[in-house]
Amino acid sequence: MFVLFQMALRNLRAHRERALLLFLVVAGASGVLVMSMALTAGVASAHRQATTTFLSGEVNVGGYFKVHPDSVAPVMGASGRVREVITPLVPEGCHLRERGRGRATVGVARRRYSSFLVSLDVAAEKQALDAILMKEGQLGALARPRTIVLSTAMAERLKVGVGDMATLFTESIGTLRRNALDVEVVAIMQGAGLLGSSSGILISNATLGELQGYRAGAAGVLQLECLTDASGGRDPNAVGDTWRQALRTAGFEVLPALNKAYGDKLAPMLREGWRGQRLDVSTWEDESWFLRFITDGLGALTVVLGLIVLAVVVVGLFMAQSVAVRERTREIGTLRAMGLQRPLVAVLFMTEGLLLGAVGSVCGAAAALGACVLLRDAVPLPGPLVDFFFSPHLPLSPSLGSAVVAVVLVTFCASLAVLVPSLRAAWLSPRSAMESL
């Protein structure tokens, strides 16, 4: 075998121009696969980070309160008791944070703009707030009463800046009652993708309570926040099932798992005739299911692109090796006349294809990994792509696993491509080869 390996190397060197061209094709295919998988993984990671920053915790316990059947408020009256039940079940490395959610309208003079509202506690929250970048002002100023942070899109449409006053309106769902509060704009958020733009209003939990008239101890939602390395590998659905069962055991009425976002549950709930308080446990995947088409679409595009690239590798190597067999008829005839058996002739040509596939794919994957590391979070994206990639910069998440997958796939396809030409070379008779001399 070592002799065949040496012969394959010598043949590649002898036909170095063709070998170099095939090497570039194989390396390019491997690089494209690695970069497309890194982009898909990066967008999925940015999607999760944006969701758990603006919209949801890893797992959420929210409340729905109905004073009468035709209205519903997203609030939990006995948040203290709920916290007592689920605190012992919080996984290690995670903690609970209190937030509020809903829709609100911000008005300045005659200009009005509605958006999803998120309330938070800037003094208590840890990791998530570091990901909310400000264009102007400081997020910490939300600790002051009656203050508001707006997204860049909202600030531009309302034509307001830091220090300006605005009026915040909310309307209880199913009623005509409207609450209003004058607030000071203390910061403007940087663009943070689709969720950052849609969650365009940030206020403090205290300001939300004052606006909605919540009593002390009420909360919108308790969310599980985990450190990045602590959340990896944990199944939010399993944690949610545990919490749901514990709350039911403690006597709370808990809605069944619906796998929908908070806003999608409100309208059907208005048609239900119950009154009082019910709890709902959801995961970050439930709260962002309507955005799943982006990551699913990118995954499908990666598969299609991979099939095209691998097809190019197969066709390219098949054509090149078929031509090589035809050009090397004399060499094959000489080898057969010297006693080289048919299987060894096939192994010789297969070894040349394997060398090209393995070396080219490894080099291409290594170069693509290096490029992904250099370009990660360094390439600014235009506005429309910021919305769909959940990040103001190109989100790439290269991994050694994706590189190994690319190398295996490309090498396998290269071997497949040279199989038929190798068998054709093996079955070439010495007599026909010698007749071509």
Side-chain angles (χ1 to χ4, degrees):
M1 287 300 296
F2 182 70
V3 175
L4 290 176
F5 183 77
Q6 287 182 314
M7 292 173 65
L9 278 179
R10 189 167 54 246
N11 289 334
L12 290 176
R13 281 199 301 269
H15 304 87
R16 60 179 65 87
E17 293 182 358
R18 180 167 54 211
L20 179 60
L21 179 62
L22 294 176
F23 171 83
L24 293 177
V25 170
V26 171
S30 180
V32 169
L33 282 179
V34 171
M35 296 194 78
S36 60
M37 285 191 282
L39 178 62
T40 302
V43 172
S45 176
H47 174 201
R48 180 169 185 160
Q49 183 178 3
T51 300
T52 54
T53 297
F54 292 99
L55 199 63
S56 165
E58 297 286 334
V59 183
N60 312 281
V61 179
Y64 295 97
F65 191 82
K66 298 184 72 167
V67 178
H68 57 81
D70 297 331
S71 68
V72 58
V75 65
M76 204 161 36
S79 65
R81 286 183 54 213
V82 174
R83 189 184 288 269
E84 288 176 3
V85 173
I86 62 176
T87 295
L89 304 175
V90 171
E92 186 179 355
C94 305
H95 66 276
L96 291 175
R97 69 187 184 195
E98 178 186 329
R99 285 196 173 183
R101 53 193 180 182
R103 285 198 67 84
T105 300
V106 180
V108 177
R110 294 185 177 181
R111 296 181 291 277
R112 300 284 188 275
Y113 194 81
S114 296
S115 177
F116 194 78
L117 173 148
V118 174
S119 74
L120 42 83
D121 185 347
V122 292
E125 291 200 21
K126 299 177 181 177
Q127 179 180 344
L129 297 186
D130 295 335
I132 304 178
L133 303 179
M134 295 296 114
K135 182 181 179 182
E136 296 178 47
Q138 299 292 328
L139 183 61
L142 268 186
R144 302 199 324 252
R146 298 191 175 189
T147 53
I148 190 172
V149 174
L150 300 176
S151 67
T152 301
M154 284 197 72
E156 290 175 350
R157 294 189 183 189
L158 295 170
K159 298 180 179 178
V160 296
V162 174
D164 292 337
M165 297 299 294
T167 303
L168 187 61
F169 303 95
T170 60
E171 187 172 300
S172 300
I173 300 171
T175 70
L176 297 178
R177 194 185 72 177
R178 213 173 199 197
N179 304 321
L181 194 67
D182 289 332
V183 291
E184 177 189 356
V185 179
V186 294
I188 308 293
M189 285 185 284
Q190 282 188 12
L194 203 57
L195 287 176
S197 300
S198 59
S199 304
I201 304 172
L202 298 182
I203 59 177
S204 67
N205 290 333
T207 300
L208 178 65
E210 183 181 0
L211 177 66
Q212 299 284 36
Y214 292 158
R215 67 183 185 184
V221 58
L222 296 177
Q223 299 180 340
L224 180 69
E225 181 185 10
C226 297
L227 299 173
T228 303
D229 53 350
S231 61
R234 181 174 293 109
D235 182 9
N237 290 303
V239 177
D241 290 340
T242 304
W243 288 14
R244 196 175 289 112
Q245 185 59 41
L247 290 168
R248 284 175 178 152
T249 304
F252 290 99
E253 286 194 64
V254 183
L255 296 171
L258 298 176
N259 303 118
K260 291 182 179 178
Y262 139 81
D264 296 325
K265 299 170 185 171
L266 291 174
M269 209 170 287
L270 282 175
R271 296 192 290 270
E272 299 174 1
W274 56 271
R275 299 186 184 199
Q277 177 80 75
R278 290 189 180 180
L279 302 181
D280 178 51
V281 179
S282 62
T283 67
W284 72 271
E285 292 172 314
D286 299 334
E287 299 294 340
S288 64
W289 70 270
F290 54 93
L291 295 172
R292 200 177 302 161
F293 74 96
I294 296 177
T295 49
D296 290 348
L298 267 178
L301 280 177
T302 300
V303 172
V304 172
L305 181 62
L307 291 175
I308 294 174
V309 165
L310 293 176
V312 170
V313 170
V314 171
V315 173
L317 262 68
F318 175 80
M319 298 296 293
Q321 202 70 344
S322 296
V323 172
V325 170
R326 191 175 299 120
E327 291 177 351
R328 294 162 59 184
T329 302
R330 297 178 182 177
E331 176 189 336
I332 296 170
T334 304
L335 291 174
R336 293 284 291 120
M338 293 173 63
L340 193 67
Q341 300 299 314
R342 295 181 191 277
L344 294 181
V345 174
V347 170
L348 174 63
F349 279 83
M350 288 289 294
T351 303
E352 294 179 19
L354 275 173
L355 279 173
L356 273 174
V359 176
S361 59
V362 168
C363 292
L369 277 180
C372 287
V373 171
L374 290 175
L375 298 176
R376 182 172 50 192
D377 297 329
V379 180
L381 295 174
L385 287 182
V386 171
D387 288 343
F388 285 101
F389 284 1
F390 306 100
S391 170
H393 298 92
L394 186 64
L396 294 171
S397 183
S399 67
L400 188 59
S402 63
V404 171
V405 170
V407 168
V408 171
L409 283 176
V410 172
T411 304
F412 174 76
C413 288
S415 306
L416 197 65
V418 300
L419 179 61
V420 173
S422 301
L423 293 176
R424 191 178 298 162
W427 258 254
L428 194 66
S429 67
R431 180 176 179 182
S432 62
M434 296 305 291
E435 287 175 352
S436 65
L437 290 173

Coordinates of all heavy atoms in Angstrom, one line a residue, residues 26-27 29-30 33 310 313-314 317 350-363 365 403-419:
V26 N -12.1 21.3 -4.4 CA -12.4 20.6 -3.2 C -12.3 21.5 -2.0 O -13.1 21.5 -1.1 CB -11.5 19.4 -3.1 CG1 -11.7 18.7 -1.7 CG2 -11.8 18.4 -4.2
A27 N -11.2 22.3 -1.9 CA -11.0 23.2 -0.8 C -12.1 24.3 -0.7 O -12.6 24.6 0.4 CB -9.6 23.9 -0.9
A29 N -15.2 24.0 -1.9 CA -16.4 23.3 -1.4 C -16.4 23.1 0.1 O -17.4 23.4 0.8 CB -16.5 22.0 -2.1
S30 N -15.3 22.7 0.6 CA -15.2 22.4 2.1 C -15.4 23.8 2.8 O -16.1 23.9 3.8 CB -13.9 21.8 2.4 OG -13.8 21.6 3.8
L33 N -19.0 25.0 2.8 CA -19.8 24.2 3.8 C -19.6 24.7 5.2 O -20.5 24.9 6.0 CB -19.4 22.7 3.7 CG -20.1 22.0 2.5 CD1 -19.6 20.5 2.6 CD2 -21.6 22.0 2.6
L310 N -21.5 19.9 -3.1 CA -21.0 18.5 -3.2 C -21.3 17.9 -4.6 O -20.4 17.1 -5.1 CB -21.8 17.6 -2.2 CG -21.5 17.9 -0.7 CD1 -22.3 17.1 0.2 CD2 -20.0 17.7 -0.4
V313 N -18.4 19.0 -6.7 CA -17.2 18.2 -6.4 C -17.3 16.9 -7.1 O -16.3 16.4 -7.7 CB -17.1 18.0 -4.9 CG1 -16.0 17.0 -4.5 CG2 -16.7 19.3 -4.2
V314 N -18.4 16.2 -7.0 CA -18.6 14.9 -7.7 C -18.4 15.0 -9.2 O -17.6 14.2 -9.8 CB -19.9 14.3 -7.3 CG1 -20.2 13.0 -8.1 CG2 -20.0 14.0 -5.8
L317 N -14.6 16.1 -10.2 CA -13.6 15.0 -10.0 C -13.9 13.9 -11.0 O -12.9 13.2 -11.5 CB -13.6 14.5 -8.6 CG -12.5 15.1 -7.7 CD1 -12.7 16.6 -7.5 CD2 -12.3 14.4 -6.4
M350 N -8.1 5.3 -6.9 CA -8.9 5.8 -5.7 C -8.0 6.5 -4.7 O -8.5 7.5 -4.1 CB -9.5 4.5 -5.0 CG -10.6 3.9 -5.8 SD -12.1 4.8 -5.8 CE -12.5 4.8 -4.1
T351 N -6.8 6.1 -4.5 CA -5.9 6.8 -3.6 C -5.6 8.3 -4.1 O -5.6 9.2 -3.2 CB -4.5 6.1 -3.5 OG1 -4.8 4.7 -3.1 CG2 -3.6 6.7 -2.5
E352 N -5.5 8.4 -5.4 CA -5.3 9.8 -5.9 C -6.5 10.7 -5.6 O -6.4 11.8 -5.1 CB -5.0 9.8 -7.4 CG -3.7 9.1 -7.8 CD -3.6 9.1 -9.3 OE1 -4.2 9.8 -10.0 OE2 -2.8 8.2 -9.8
G353 N -7.7 10.1 -5.7 CA -8.9 10.9 -5.4 C -9.1 11.1 -3.9 O -9.4 12.2 -3.5
L354 N -8.7 10.1 -3.1 CA -8.8 10.3 -1.7 C -7.8 11.4 -1.2 O -8.1 12.2 -0.3 CB -8.5 9.0 -1.0 CG -9.7 8.0 -0.8 CD1 -9.2 6.7 -0.2 CD2 -10.7 8.7 0.1
L355 N -6.6 11.4 -1.8 CA -5.6 12.4 -1.4 C -6.1 13.8 -1.7 O -6.0 14.7 -0.9 CB -4.3 12.1 -2.1 CG -3.4 11.0 -1.5 CD1 -2.2 10.7 -2.4 CD2 -2.9 11.5 -0.1
L356 N -6.6 13.9 -2.9 CA -7.2 15.2 -3.3 C -8.3 15.6 -2.4 O -8.4 16.8 -1.9 CB -7.7 15.2 -4.7 CG -6.6 15.5 -5.8 CD1 -7.2 15.2 -7.2 CD2 -6.1 16.9 -5.7
G357 N -9.2 14.7 -2.1 CA -10.4 15.0 -1.3 C -10.0 15.4 0.2 O -10.5 16.3 0.7
A358 N -9.1 14.5 0.7 CA -8.8 14.7 2.1 C -8.0 16.0 2.4 O -8.3 16.8 3.2 CB -8.0 13.5 2.7
V359 N -6.9 16.1 1.6 CA -6.0 17.3 1.8 C -6.7 18.6 1.4 O -6.7 19.6 2.1 CB -4.7 17.1 0.9 CG1 -3.8 18.3 1.0 CG2 -4.0 15.9 1.3
G360 N -7.5 18.5 0.3 CA -8.2 19.8 -0.1 C -9.2 20.2 0.9 O -9.4 21.3 1.2
S361 N -10.0 19.2 1.4 CA -11.1 19.5 2.3 C -10.6 20.0 3.6 O -11.1 20.9 4.3 CB -12.0 18.3 2.5 OG -11.3 17.2 3.0
V362 N -9.5 19.4 4.1 CA -8.9 19.8 5.4 C -8.3 21.2 5.3 O -8.6 22.1 6.1 CB -7.7 18.8 5.8 CG1 -6.9 19.4 6.9 CG2 -8.3 17.5 6.2
C363 N -7.6 21.5 4.2 CA -7.1 22.9 4.0 C -8.2 23.9 3.8 O -8.2 25.0 4.4 CB -6.2 22.9 2.7 SG -4.7 22.0 2.9
A365 N -11.4 23.6 5.0 CA -12.1 23.8 6.3 C -11.2 24.6 7.3 O -11.8 25.5 8.0 CB -12.3 22.4 6.9
A403 N -16.5 21.6 11.0 CA -15.3 21.4 10.1 C -15.1 19.9 9.8 O -14.9 19.5 8.7 CB -14.1 22.0 10.7
V404 N -15.3 19.1 10.8 CA -15.1 17.7 10.7 C -16.2 17.1 9.7 O -16.0 16.3 8.9 CB -15.2 17.0 12.0 CG1 -15.3 15.4 11.9 CG2 -14.0 17.3 12.9
V405 N -17.4 17.6 9.9 CA -18.5 17.2 9.1 C -18.3 17.5 7.6 O -18.4 16.7 6.7 CB -19.9 17.8 9.5 CG1 -21.0 17.6 8.5 CG2 -20.3 17.2 10.9
A406 N -17.8 18.7 7.4 CA -17.5 19.2 6.0 C -16.4 18.3 5.4 O -16.4 17.9 4.2 CB -17.1 20.6 6.0
V407 N -15.3 18.0 6.2 CA -14.2 17.2 5.6 C -14.7 15.8 5.3 O -14.3 15.3 4.2 CB -13.0 17.2 6.7 CG1 -12.0 16.1 6.3 CG2 -12.4 18.5 6.8
V408 N -15.5 15.2 6.2 CA -16.0 13.9 5.9 C -16.8 13.8 4.7 O -16.7 12.9 3.8 CB -16.7 13.3 7.2 CG1 -17.4 12.0 6.8 CG2 -15.8 13.1 8.3
L409 N -17.8 14.8 4.6 CA -18.7 14.8 3.4 C -17.9 15.0 2.1 O -18.2 14.3 1.1 CB -19.7 15.9 3.6 CG -20.8 15.7 4.6 CD1 -21.7 16.9 4.7 CD2 -21.7 14.5 4.1
V410 N -17.0 16.0 2.1 CA -16.3 16.3 0.8 C -15.4 15.1 0.5 O -15.3 14.7 -0.7 CB -15.5 17.6 1.0 CG1 -14.6 17.8 -0.2 CG2 -16.5 18.8 1.2
T411 N -14.7 14.5 1.4 CA -13.8 13.4 1.1 C -14.6 12.2 0.6 O -14.2 11.5 -0.3 CB -13.0 13.0 2.4 OG1 -12.3 14.1 2.9 CG2 -12.0 11.9 2.1
F412 N -15.8 12.0 1.3 CA -16.6 10.9 0.8 C -17.1 11.1 -0.6 O -17.0 10.2 -1.5 CB -17.8 10.7 1.7 CG -18.8 9.7 1.3 CD1 -18.6 8.3 1.4 CD2 -20.0 10.1 0.7 CE1 -19.5 7.4 0.9 CE2 -20.9 9.2 0.2 CZ -20.7 7.8 0.4
C413 N -17.5 12.3 -0.9 CA -18.0 12.6 -2.3 C -16.8 12.5 -3.3 O -17.0 12.1 -4.5 CB -18.6 14.0 -2.4 SG -20.2 14.1 -1.5
A414 N -15.6 12.9 -2.9 CA -14.4 12.8 -3.8 C -14.2 11.3 -4.1 O -13.9 11.0 -5.2 CB -13.2 13.5 -3.1
S415 N -14.3 10.5 -3.1 CA -14.0 9.1 -3.3 C -15.1 8.5 -4.2 O -14.8 7.7 -5.0 CB -14.0 8.3 -1.9 OG -13.1 8.9 -1.0
L416 N -16.3 8.9 -4.0 CA -17.4 8.4 -4.8 C -17.2 8.8 -6.3 O -17.5 8.1 -7.2 CB -18.7 9.0 -4.3 CG -20.0 8.3 -4.7 CD1 -20.1 6.9 -4.2 CD2 -21.2 9.1 -4.2
A417 N -16.7 10.1 -6.5 CA -16.6 10.6 -7.8 C -15.5 9.8 -8.6 O -15.7 9.6 -9.8 CB -16.2 12.1 -7.8
V418 N -14.5 9.3 -8.0 CA -13.4 8.7 -8.7 C -13.6 7.2 -8.8 O -12.7 6.5 -9.3 CB -12.0 9.0 -8.1 CG1 -11.7 10.5 -8.1 CG2 -11.9 8.5 -6.6
L419 N -14.7 6.7 -8.2 CA -14.9 5.2 -8.1 C -15.0 4.6 -9.5 O -14.3 3.7 -9.9 CB -16.1 4.9 -7.3 CG -16.5 3.4 -7.2 CD1 -15.3 2.6 -6.5 CD2 -17.7 3.2 -6.3

